[in-house]
Amino acid sequence: ALGGRGSESAVVNAAAGGRCEVRAHAVLRGLFLVHDFVTEEEEAALLQWMDGQQPGWRLRHFNGPALGMRWGATTDLRRRSVTLGAPMPPPLLALTARMRTLPVPSPLAGFEANEANALRYVRAEGHFLGPHCDDRQLSGDTLVNLSLAGEATMTYAHDRDGSRPPVRVRLPRRSLQIQTEDVRFNHTHGIAAEDLPELRVSVTFRRAKLTQ
């Protein structure tokens, strides 16, 4: 169960990370992938839980169109500030607790997210994730992304050396992707519309750097 109460219970077993295998990418330094981080049953429960959140999915256009929702700390890129928001909900806390139990070479042993956002991509609606690098100062040293509902392919491009060819990374359904070090700070990442399935839901976790 994903720790919590009422409708937020019975979603994820927080202590099950030790059964997973953490794979370092062969080319992109600092990128790790964990297949089957959640089970099919947990995936279904998470999707149902998100669909029941209020105020619900809202269209947003930051780094491309998609439906979104968010939890935890509030980041204002224009004002260059991060403020402490509402506590992270129990299902997401249980996921981050599981992350901390992943075996070596996982870099998440001490990871405690204070911010998360979910994006719902519907290919028929023209949704996509534009190439970008999450804010290098405010968004923390580690990005962790959970892929739900469908498989996608993410493209990485070096942000400072255009001579390097882009690298395409397959993100299987229910997998966890971890960005640290070189891939976190020196590469953009994005998903073109043609590299999305009919439906993909992603949840990204960060340890944002509070400014006040």
Side-chain angles (χ1 to χ4, degrees), residues 28-32 80 107 111 131-144 156-161 164 178-189 206-209:
L28 296 170
R29 182 168 59 84
L31 184 67
F32 302 87
R80 307 303 299 161
F111 182 68
H132 70 285
C133 180
D134 288 45
D135 193 278
R136 293 174 172 88
Q137 285 75 45
L138 300 181
S139 294
D141 297 335
T142 303
L143 305 178
V144 186
Y156 284 88
H158 200 278
D159 202 27
R160 294 175 171 83
D161 185 356
R164 300 191 191 184
I178 307 165
Q179 295 182 22
T180 65
E181 299 177 347
D182 183 63
V183 78
R184 159 72 179 98
F185 292 105
N186 296 322
H187 291 74
T188 62
H189 59 277
R206 304 174 184 85
R207 180 69 185 179
K209 298 181 179 180

Side-chain angles (χ1 to χ4, degrees), residues 88 93 96 100 108-115 205-208:
M88 294 273 281
L93 288 175
T96 58
R100 292 192 292 274
L108 299 181
F111 182 68
E112 297 203 18
N114 61 3
E115 176 191 358
F205 299 80
R206 304 174 184 85
R207 180 69 185 179

Side-chain angles (χ1 to χ4, degrees), residues 60-66 119-123 125-131 190-196:
R60 35 79 78 203
H61 293 275
F62 188 68
N63 294 324
L119 293 172
R120 180 182 176 92
Y121 299 93
V122 182
R123 191 170 65 182
E125 298 295 327
H127 295 170
F128 63 90
L129 178 64
I191 304 177
E194 58 267 26
D195 289 327
L196 283 168

Side-chain angles (χ1 to χ4, degrees), residues 68-108:
M69 61 177 64
R70 56 167 305 280
W71 304 269
T74 300
T75 300
D76 188 324
L77 296 178
R78 290 184 178 179
R79 297 183 178 181
R80 307 303 299 161
S81 67
V82 179
T83 55
L84 188 63
M88 294 273 281
L92 301 186
L93 288 175
L95 285 170
T96 58
R98 176 182 290 184
M99 294 173 195
R100 292 192 292 274
T101 71
L102 288 169
V104 174
S106 168
L108 299 181

